[in-house]
Each structure stands twice: as C-alpha cells, then as structure tokens.
Amino acid sequence: MISVAIDGPAGAGKSSIAKAVAKELNYIYIDTGALYRAIGLYAVEQAVTTTNREAVAALLSEIDVTLQHIGGHQHVFLNGRDVSERIRKPVVTVAASHVSAHPEVRTFLLSLQRKLAEENNVIMDGRDIGTVILPNADVKIYLTASAKERARRRYKELFDRGEDVHFDTVLKEIEERDYNDSHREIAPLKQADDAVLVDTTEDDLETAIQKVKAVILSKIG
Ligand code: DC
C-alpha cells in the first residue's frame, strides 16, 4: 500500500488539495482532523472542560470513532451517529485543538490511523502524519501558507456558508491554533526532516493541486 502524508497548519488548503489529488490518483483521502473533532464534540456534549486532561481521558472508554467513505466523501461516526456536519461548528474547532493536546487522545487515535493506512492507498492529512503516525510514508509533504492568506481563505469559506464573522477574529483564531498546535508537548505540528515543503501563499487551488500531485508522482511515479 502507498501512503502520502500531508501535514501543515490550519487553512493551508490541506483538505481541498488532498481530496482533489486523492480523487485523481484514486487513493482514499483521510482527514484525520475529523477524528480529533469527533472527540472534541463528545467532550462538549458531555459538558467536560476540554482543556482538562484527566476529564477528557476519562471519556475515551465511552467513545467509538469510525470513518466511512460514502459516495467518495468521508463521513465520521461517533458512537454510530454521523457527526460529519456537527464537527465543523466553531465551538468544536476550539475543542478539537484542546483535546488533541492530551497524550491519551493521541494514543487513542493512533492505531485507527495506522490501520487505515495499512489497508488502503491513502492520502492522509493532519499535523503529525509524517512525523508520528506514518514515519515511513512513501511521500511526505508539509503544506503551508502565510497566516494572513490562510485567514483570508477561511474567512471566505465561513462567509460563503453564511456565518457572521469578522476577518480579524478569524486571523486571531488561526494564530491561536497555530500556537496551540505547534507548542503542545506531544506530536507538535512541525515539518518532518524528509518532508517536501509546499508553500501555497501565492497559488490558487488548481495550481496548488498540480504542485502537490507533481511532488507525489516524482516520488512514486
Ligand atoms: O485539521 P482540523 O482543523 O480539522 O484539525 C482539528 C484539530 O485537530 C486541530 O486543532 C489540530 C488537531 N489535529 C491534530 O492534532 N493532529 C492531526 N493529525 C489532525 C488534527
């Protein structure tokens, strides 16, 4: 099986790019952030403080998270319930960032991610895929863009969805998430030594897709 790891900060375009490239190459696209989001959602629903490591760890035995691909789209199931839409709510975005810093949560999700990569040709996107989850991935890409450009993209996405947001708030949230994700003690966001850096600040989506595809094909082609 072939595995492609794509890591990088929030809003770098990982999911749109990985999804498109996976479709072209006929690989399964796996959005690992959705797994952390499902746990964040459960903690919010149980009214547990998401920064409280012990309290979140105590919930894990009650949680079953699975992924299914339906009509080419990834669906996330939390204890049998399809939560694919619910996990995109802003409150869950913050909760996911908090719970993902707890070592118990990362261990809980590790084997599920490795199993998916063992059984399928995958393009997996996340923060620690190339560094921790799949250190032997065939291709590793670190996808980034400036914080301002990432905030601009995220703002447009939220605006188009009809959400009432301010650009400055989106930028501040992106910067806070960058800080949380790259400063946590366990599996922080960082470029793997053997990852290819792709900066999409100046690129439109199609250009970025072709850049990433070219990197993959140059490694496995
Ligand atoms: O990619 P995303 O925005 O859906 O990720 C949600 C949160 O989960 C984000 O704050 C970082 C965390 N995450 C992680 O720690 N490791 C991953 N492989 C993917 C996401």
Side-chain angles (χ1 to χ4, degrees):
M1 291 297 163
I2 292 178
S3 48
V4 177
I6 302 189
D7 293 302
K14 293 190 303 289
S15 64
S16 323
I17 295 168
K19 216 180 281 176
V21 176
K23 199 169 171 202
E24 285 192 34
L25 299 178
N26 204 18
Y27 283 23
I28 290 191
Y29 163 62
I30 294 169
D31 162 19
T32 62
L35 304 171
Y36 294 90
R37 286 172 178 269
I39 293 179
L41 170 64
Y42 190 75
V44 168
E45 286 178 344
Q46 299 299 314
V48 159
T49 306
T50 47
T51 48
N52 183 332
R53 176 177 168 184
E54 283 77 25
V56 172
L59 293 178
L60 295 173
S61 63
E62 304 167 14
I63 298 179
D64 177 45
V65 186
T66 52
L67 296 182
Q68 270 185 46
H69 288 79
I70 305 170
H73 295 285
Q74 172 181 287
H75 286 247
V76 192
F77 290 83
L78 171 62
N79 294 336
R81 181 164 57 106
D82 189 340
V83 293
S84 311
E85 279 184 23
R86 207 165 279 239
I87 58 166
R88 300 293 155 196
K89 298 235 175 272
V91 60
V92 180
T93 302
V94 175
S97 183
H98 290 163
V99 301
S100 71
H102 305 319
E104 293 82 358
V105 171
R106 305 204 72 85
T107 306
F108 180 77
L109 294 175
L110 181 93
S111 50
L112 169 62
Q113 294 170 83
R114 287 199 178 147
K115 192 160 176 281
L116 288 163
E118 270 164 28
E119 293 172 351
N120 307 281
N121 288 330
V122 292
I123 297 190
M124 207 176 257
D125 98 32
R127 304 292 190 286
D128 63 338
I129 309 304
T131 50
V132 177
I133 306 295
L134 306 176
N136 298 319
D138 300 274
V139 187
K140 296 183 187 179
I141 293 172
Y142 190 83
L143 197 73
T144 191
S146 71
K148 255 212 173 115
E149 174 58 18
R150 289 185 284 121
R152 195 191 62 74
R153 294 175 190 169
R154 188 57 55 118
Y155 172 78
K156 184 173 179 304
E157 200 180 301
L158 294 169
F159 183 85
D160 289 347
R161 244 193 270 157
E163 302 214 11
D164 183 21
V165 284
H166 289 279
F167 177 78
D168 290 347
T169 314
V170 177
L171 178 60
K172 194 163 151 275
E173 276 171 11
I174 289 247
E175 286 172 343
E176 273 173 18
R177 269 220 289 164
D178 282 357
Y179 187 87
N180 286 346
D181 294 347
S182 52
H183 285 79
R184 65 176 177 232
E185 274 179 35
I186 180 162
L189 169 67
K190 68 168 197 285
Q191 184 178 346
D193 293 338
D194 50 352
V196 176
L197 178 69
V198 177
D199 187 321
T200 69
T201 305
E202 305 287 335
D203 299 334
D204 61 18
L205 182 59
E206 192 48 38
T207 309
I209 290 170
Q210 293 314 322
K211 262 193 193 173
V212 167
K213 195 175 152 195
V215 171
I216 296 173
L217 293 178
S218 76
K219 301 269 177 192
I220 60 164

